[in-house]
Amino acid sequence: MDGRLSTATILPDTFQGARDIDITAQIGLIWQQVKAPLIVPLLKLSLAVCLAMSIMLFLERVYMGIVIVFVKLFGQKPEKRYKWEPFRDDVELGHSAYPMVLIQIPMYNEKEVYQLSIGAASGLSWPSDRIIIQVLDDSTDPAIKDLVELECQRWASKGINIKYEIRDNRNGYKAGALREGMKHGYVKMCDYVAIFDADFQPEPDFLWRTIPFLAHNPEIALVQARWKFVNANECLMTRMQEMSLDYHFTVEQEVGSSTYAFFGFNGTAGVWRISALNEAGGWKDRTTVEDMDLAVRATLKGWKFVYVSDLEVKSELPSSLKAFRYQQHRWSCGPANLFRKMAMEIIRNKKVSLWKKFYVIYSFFFVRKIVGHIVTFVFYCVVLPATVLVPEVEVPKWGAVYIPSIITLLNAVGTPRSFHLLIFWILFENVMSLHRTKATLIGLLEAGKVNEWVVTEKLGDALKAKLGTKAPRKLRFKLGGRIHLLELGVGAYLFFCGCYDITFDGKNRYFIYLFLQSIAFFIVGVGYVGTFVPNS
């Protein structure tokens, strides 16, 4: 023995005749040997699981589509389904006939938007002696804190009852700030609390349209308004976000409100009954979706929610890829982690009906928050491309074409003006599914970064100036953000599958799809998408 391993000790007998063949041929032989006993069965199993999840998602979308059609054709507006009467001045009681309302505005280094949010809250039309505005400033920049405090003082000098509140730590992030805000003595005088994130600008009549639901219907805990995006046309990425969120507000929220009187609180642009909030246990910071956590706990106490679709509150979409990725991590990881924590509590609850439990556990959490993310990535970005390399695994046409097409078309109903951007939306959603799937698994497994909270960057006045000076129909390219190796790696994998398909397989089944998808992964990986301005 000369101390060296011979080829015979490394390769099995099958490959002894291939010692002198180059490494590519040897890899090819190994691939042929492992494909039939290992790769094909594993891929068939993965395909079966993905098709099952696709059917679940498909049935969920079709069900909500049917419900929303009936709601639009035969359903009544919330003002008709619930008792709703406007408040009127009482000669004898005066303003005391109006309930006391607390407005909470949580902030964190919001230099660009603090004036907009404080100004909008101060402009709400409601008796001045029956409203308290509470600015909860968690800013770590002393200069910004001084600016926010000065702005509060400016409005206070105009007769607005505004409180500037700070704390010496950021424990619990937004949930912690809201919880601390509720501990102040003057809050005990209030019946309801309206919450607006720093970039939200309610119209003056917001309270006039929401408070009557709570005042005249003691079973209602929450009134949620719709978001209106002031920067939807900023770039292609914001157009894609608008399509996804419009479906959420047009369909998901409306169906939850109209059928089960349950939907996830969006964390802002909503009004809570303070007694219901307290009965549910108040704000908790155990997940990054403290708003959804509160909504589920309030539902388990028997409270109902109302969604007012025609009441819109201006807000801002993340216009940079970095901000959008952090937001999506929080929105994907948090619900999965909350599902892990509350599934058994929901099942054991005796105050809500069996159908509502099923809706919350299966439809709201499992299908939308878990299956929706995982199947999009695993099926369209892993299994489907892998079948190109393994032609023995056949994907049924209904699973590869019909179901995805119907789901995509149903998603477009929320934003008909962007119907021509559906192809871009498909590619973009598939790319982001990688990030969302990772976040979902982190939430389910309660792994590292499960409670990571990065405040979404907002532009506010800077965005207005940008939009005001931007030339229309112009494509801009700006290299920003770091290269994300995971996206680039998946893009390379898809591109390789496409090249293999057109070169060796000859069927050319998925080449165009894979090629476009690989380009999308590359674009997002490098960080371009956030700076593409759409042509329309």
Side-chain angles (χ1 to χ4, degrees):
M1 292 293 291
D2 57 358
R4 292 178 297 175
L5 292 174
S6 65
T7 306
T9 63
I10 299 176
L11 296 175
D13 295 339
T14 308
F15 302 111
Q16 294 308 305
R19 295 181 208 174
D20 298 327
I21 302 177
D22 61 26
I23 188 65
T24 302
Q26 292 184 20
I27 293 175
L29 290 171
I30 296 174
W31 168 254
Q32 292 301 323
Q33 287 294 312
V34 302
K35 184 168 68 170
L38 179 63
I39 302 300
V40 172
L42 183 61
L43 193 55
K44 285 184 177 179
L45 176 62
S46 300
L47 176 61
V49 173
C50 287
L51 289 176
M53 290 193 293
S54 294
I55 293 173
M56 293 168 62
L57 187 61
F58 169 74
L59 293 177
E60 173 71 11
R61 291 296 176 93
V62 171
Y63 159 73
M64 288 195 293
I66 294 173
V67 172
I68 203 65
V69 168
F70 276 90
V71 168
K72 296 299 182 182
L73 293 179
F74 308 107
Q76 295 179 327
K77 290 186 176 182
E79 290 83 355
K80 299 294 183 180
R81 288 189 283 114
Y82 295 95
K83 184 178 180 181
W84 190 95
E85 296 178 0
F87 285 96
R88 293 183 174 88
D89 291 335
D90 190 298
V91 177
E92 296 181 358
L93 298 177
H95 288 168
S96 61
Y98 293 82
M100 197 75 176
V101 181
L102 174 70
I103 308 294
Q104 287 188 317
I105 309 175
M107 290 191 173
Y108 175 72
N109 293 335
E110 310 287 1
K111 182 179 180 181
E112 301 294 344
V113 295
Y114 75 93
Q115 288 181 311
L116 296 176
S117 57
I118 294 176
S122 300
L124 288 170
S125 177
W126 197 254
S128 58
D129 59 337
R130 307 300 293 172
I131 186 172
I132 302 174
I133 299 175
Q134 187 184 68
V135 177
L136 305 170
D137 191 9
D138 271 0
S139 299
T140 54
D141 187 331
I144 296 178
K145 293 179 73 171
D146 291 341
L147 290 173
V148 176
E149 184 176 13
L150 186 63
E151 183 70 8
C152 292
Q153 292 174 355
R154 188 173 73 86
W155 282 103
S157 66
K158 296 181 179 181
I160 301 298
N161 189 0
I162 187 168
K163 310 288 186 180
Y164 176 73
E165 306 290 357
I166 60 174
R167 53 184 184 146
D168 56 4
N169 60 71
R170 288 194 67 219
N171 294 340
Y173 303 106
K174 178 182 174 181
L178 294 172
R179 183 172 58 238
E180 289 298 315
M182 297 298 293
K183 294 179 180 179
H184 294 281
Y186 54 83
V187 175
K188 295 179 181 179
M189 300 185 297
C190 301
D191 303 294
Y192 312 113
V193 54
I195 302 167
F196 300 103
D197 282 352
D199 59 317
F200 277 71
Q201 304 164 53
E203 296 296 328
D205 65 345
F206 179 87
L207 296 179
W208 290 101
R209 298 189 59 184
T210 55
I211 298 298
F213 284 108
L214 297 164
H216 302 307
N217 301 274
E219 75 276 14
I220 294 177
L222 165 69
V223 180
Q224 174 72 61
R226 178 172 178 159
W227 298 1
K228 179 181 180 181
F229 311 111
V230 298
N231 65 328
N233 293 323
E234 164 66 8
C235 58
L236 184 59
M237 189 181 73
T238 54
R239 290 290 291 271
M240 301 300 100
Q241 294 177 67
E242 181 192 35
M243 292 179 70
S244 298
L245 288 173
D246 276 353
Y247 178 82
H248 168 70
F249 284 107
T250 303
V251 179
E252 293 178 344
Q253 297 287 83
E254 190 71 75
V255 169
S257 178
S258 301
T259 56
Y260 299 95
F262 170 79
F263 48 84
F265 174 44
N266 296 126
T268 179
V271 187
W272 277 91
R273 185 187 302 273
I274 293 180
S275 60
L277 191 153
N278 292 333
E279 184 184 347
W283 294 102
K284 295 185 179 181
D285 55 10
R286 56 181 175 173
T287 69
T288 57
V289 283
E290 72 292 325
D291 43 14
M292 187 181 297
D293 187 354
L294 176 61
V296 174
R297 285 185 281 113
T299 296
L300 297 182
K301 294 293 184 180
W303 292 97
K304 294 182 179 180
F305 306 153
V306 175
Y307 171 65
V308 186
S309 59
D310 58 353
L311 177 58
E312 298 180 337
V313 179
K314 296 178 183 177
S315 64
E316 182 181 322
L317 291 165
S319 55
S320 71
L321 181 62
K322 180 179 179 181
F324 181 62
R325 283 172 62 91
Y326 280 126
Q327 182 198 70
Q328 292 302 297
H329 173 86
R330 190 169 72 246
W331 286 4
S332 302
C333 179
N337 190 234
L338 182 62
F339 176 70
R340 170 193 170 108
K341 294 178 182 296
M342 294 202 68
M344 293 308 301
E345 183 179 346
I346 296 171
I347 293 173
R348 291 193 296 261
N349 184 271
K350 297 181 180 180
K351 286 191 176 182
V352 297
S353 67
L354 180 63
W355 284 112
K356 180 174 282 191
K357 290 181 185 180
F358 178 79
Y359 176 78
V360 174
I361 292 177
Y362 175 79
S363 180
F364 181 78
F365 274 114
F366 187 64
V367 177
R368 297 186 212 169
K369 308 301 181 183
I370 297 175
V371 168
H373 298 323
I374 294 177
V375 71
T376 302
F377 172 67
V378 175
F379 184 41
Y380 300 114
C381 301
V382 177
V383 173
L384 192 60
T387 60
V388 176
L389 302 174
V390 186
E392 293 89 342
V393 180
E394 291 289 337
V395 182
K397 186 177 291 185
W398 59 264
V401 179
Y402 298 146
I403 283 183
S405 298
I406 294 174
I407 290 176
T408 302
L409 291 174
L410 288 175
N411 190 88
V413 301
T415 319
R417 78 182 187 99
S418 296
F419 189 81
H420 62 291
L421 297 175
L422 272 180
I423 297 299
F424 294 99
W425 179 81
I426 293 170
L427 299 177
F428 184 70
E429 284 294 296
N430 284 2
V431 171
M432 291 309 301
S433 68
L434 170 63
H435 186 63
R436 292 171 182 145
T437 299
K438 181 181 70 173
T440 300
L441 294 177
I442 289 174
L444 286 174
L445 300 175
E446 211 158 29
K449 293 187 177 181
V450 67
N451 289 319
E452 180 184 52
W453 181 288
V454 178
V455 176
T456 305
E457 179 186 15
K458 307 170 187 74
L459 299 180
D461 289 332
L463 176 65
K464 286 185 176 181
K466 184 179 180 182
L467 292 175
T469 58
K470 183 173 62 180
R473 299 178 180 272
K474 181 181 178 182
L475 272 177
R476 295 179 290 104
F477 298 88
K478 178 182 178 182
L479 181 61
R482 64 183 179 85
I483 296 179
H484 302 291
L485 297 180
L486 197 56
E487 280 88 343
L488 294 179
V490 175
Y493 160 69
L494 291 172
F495 185 75
F496 170 73
C497 289
C499 291
Y500 177 90
D501 185 32
I502 200 170
T503 304
F504 300 105
D505 196 32
K507 297 180 181 179
N508 195 23
R509 294 172 296 173
Y510 308 122
F511 175 71
I512 295 177
Y513 161 77
L514 296 173
F515 179 74
L516 290 173
Q517 189 66 75
S518 64
I519 292 175
F521 268 96
F522 180 82
I523 289 173
V524 174
V526 176
Y528 278 127
V529 169
T531 53
F532 278 119
V533 178
N535 290 325
S536 59

